[in-house]
Amino acid sequence: MDELEKLFSMLEVLRNKEETYNKKVLEEGPSFQYTFGFLLGEYNLKNKYILEALDIIKNHRQPDLLRYFSLSLRFYFQKIISESVQHLDKINNEIKCLKINKEWNDSHSLCYNNLISTENKIIDKAKEMFSKSTINDFFDYFSSEAKKNSTFDTLANWIIDINFFKVNYCYYRVFETIYNFFCFEYFSLKDRNIKESPLFLYFENHNTSLLVDKNFTKYGLITLTSDYKPICTDHLECRIFNKSLNITLPLSRKIDNKLFKKFIELYNVGIIKQISFKPSLFEPYTGKFTTDMALEAVEFGRVFDIELTDFIPTKLVSLDSDSLWINPVGNEITFEEFKYDFDTFDDYIMTQAVHLKFFRKNNDFYIEHIDHEVFFYTYGEYDKRLYNIKIKGKVLKRQKTFKIDDSEIPFLTHGKPEFLIQILYTHFSRKDLLDEYFSQYK
């Protein structure tokens, strides 16, 4: 069992233990309840699974293992933000109805103001956490939090070993975040009636039913058909795409990626005639999350479309912290690639960039200038550049490998930006991020 599987097995053991804890709280009342909740209560008692998980996290401070979680955690906080915003909309609609019906009074005002305040605090906290782009950012955030005495003031009389707690606080908080993400996103709803699951209800709300699949009715499995297409991934869970609803369904984490690919290979050549898989029972993703889309994300901005002439700054990130930045200014666009395992020269960090100028003539677009450059950054500049598109590497003079001027190169050939794509694919290493940015032209 590798470290990632070991960590997930610990998370599942703890989640099962928490379910037992919750049942006892209901049966025995508040006297059984931990003062600050289940996870902190078990940590205070030095639960062996939590301590082993902390060791895994400590030993992978530079995130070979934990980089897996970086993007997923951001999706987790993004989801919290989205749900809180929707809840705020619902609250505001309720307020409007009360006012229209002239039922609004002081008690309503106090109650709804408290609800709005709570949701805004959740959104603010989630936005703060969403801005952390890597696991190391989470470490840094919790490390600074651990230096504040106020963090421990309310816990001092309750924690058994306050020194142990302080020393491991940062690692505990990272673990707590991963645990919450695991419970929120991946834990199987095995004790729940399948007809109450978010997945089942999603289909029902869209005027279709999973019950037409006899394997789902009998075993909770979804059968591959012409309407369900498999999506293989290297890092995240296996997925299937429902063409008619335009949604992607994550499959159970217990399905091995390599085995899934082998099944699909045999299915595609007709050796396997029928195959069904257990889906995650959480609500599906909207749209088709292909291998690249599952692993990469447009952090801000949008994918390339020449018809949308108002290009906007765009950043795409990979699961292992590589990124592609697109910075448009007027009729100029600069593409710059940043790698987790960056290249260096004389103790400076090197990045590659492609810069172009374009113009429009008779409703067609043309490239008049394009060049390839290497930028040099100090470590301090590079850290800032990873979050600020305006930072430029100026420690050394940038180096050009080619430069084209005074030209009229068609932006589109055969309906695609082929010339630009060929240059970018030749020089940049992250073809998957480029695939995503130019996904409109596949």
Side-chain angles (χ1 to χ4, degrees), residues 31-48:
S31 60
F32 178 79
Q33 198 165 356
Y34 289 130
T35 307
F36 291 97
F38 167 79
L39 200 63
L40 194 54
E42 288 295 312
Y43 174 67
N44 186 35
L45 296 176
K46 298 185 179 179
N47 177 294
K48 69 173 184 176

Side-chain angles (χ1 to χ4, degrees), residues 18-33:
E18 184 177 6
E19 286 199 335
T20 302
Y21 162 81
N22 289 334
K23 288 174 184 174
K24 282 197 173 183
V25 170
L26 288 173
E27 292 168 3
E28 301 181 24
S31 60
F32 178 79
Q33 198 165 356

Side-chain angles (χ1 to χ4, degrees), residues 416-431:
K416 298 180 180 181
E418 290 183 351
F419 182 76
L420 173 60
I421 284 175
Q422 184 174 0
I423 290 172
L424 292 171
Y425 278 59
T426 298
H427 289 283
F428 288 5
S429 61
R430 291 310 298 246
K431 311 303 192 259

Side-chain angles (χ1 to χ4, degrees), residues 7 28 35 124 129 161 166 187 229 279 306 417 422 430:
L7 184 57
E28 301 181 24
T35 307
D124 289 343
M129 299 306 291
D161 188 343
K166 286 182 178 180
F187 186 73
K229 300 294 184 183
I306 191 65
Q422 184 174 0
R430 291 310 298 246

Side-chain angles (χ1 to χ4, degrees), residues 120 164 185 202 255 259 341 372 411 430:
N120 280 323
F164 171 83
E185 196 67 27
Y202 181 94
I255 299 172
L259 196 55
D341 296 318
H372 171 261
F411 218 129
R430 291 310 298 246

Side-chain angles (χ1 to χ4, degrees), residues 112-214:
Y112 279 96
N113 283 342
N114 287 336
L115 287 173
I116 291 170
S117 175
T118 300
E119 289 299 328
N120 280 323
K121 285 177 182 176
I122 292 171
I123 291 171
D124 289 343
K125 181 67 174 178
K127 282 182 176 178
E128 187 175 12
M129 299 306 291
F130 178 72
S131 69
K132 313 300 171 193
S133 60
T134 69
I135 286 290
N136 279 344
D137 289 328
F138 283 87
F139 275 111
D140 293 341
Y141 176 80
F142 292 130
S143 291
S144 64
E145 193 177 84
K147 292 173 185 175
K148 302 171 185 173
N149 288 331
S150 58
T151 302
F152 306 104
D153 287 347
T154 55
L155 304 173
N157 295 325
W158 179 73
I159 295 293
I160 294 171
D161 188 343
I162 194 68
N163 289 327
F164 171 83
F165 187 75
K166 286 182 178 180
V167 169
N168 292 280
Y169 178 79
C170 172
Y171 302 109
Y172 166 76
R173 287 302 306 278
V174 171
F175 169 73
E176 179 186 56
T177 304
I178 291 172
Y179 177 76
N180 288 336
F181 157 68
F182 173 79
C183 296
F184 184 87
E185 196 67 27
Y186 287 121
F187 186 73
S188 171
L189 303 177
K190 59 186 178 185
D191 296 328
R192 191 176 196 166
N193 185 333
I194 203 165
K195 293 182 181 179
E196 296 175 2
S197 70
L199 175 67
F200 186 87
L201 295 175
Y202 181 94
F203 274 77
E204 294 293 311
N205 291 336
H206 287 78
N207 299 316
T208 187
S209 177
L210 288 166
L211 297 178
V212 296
D213 185 340
K214 63 182 181 182

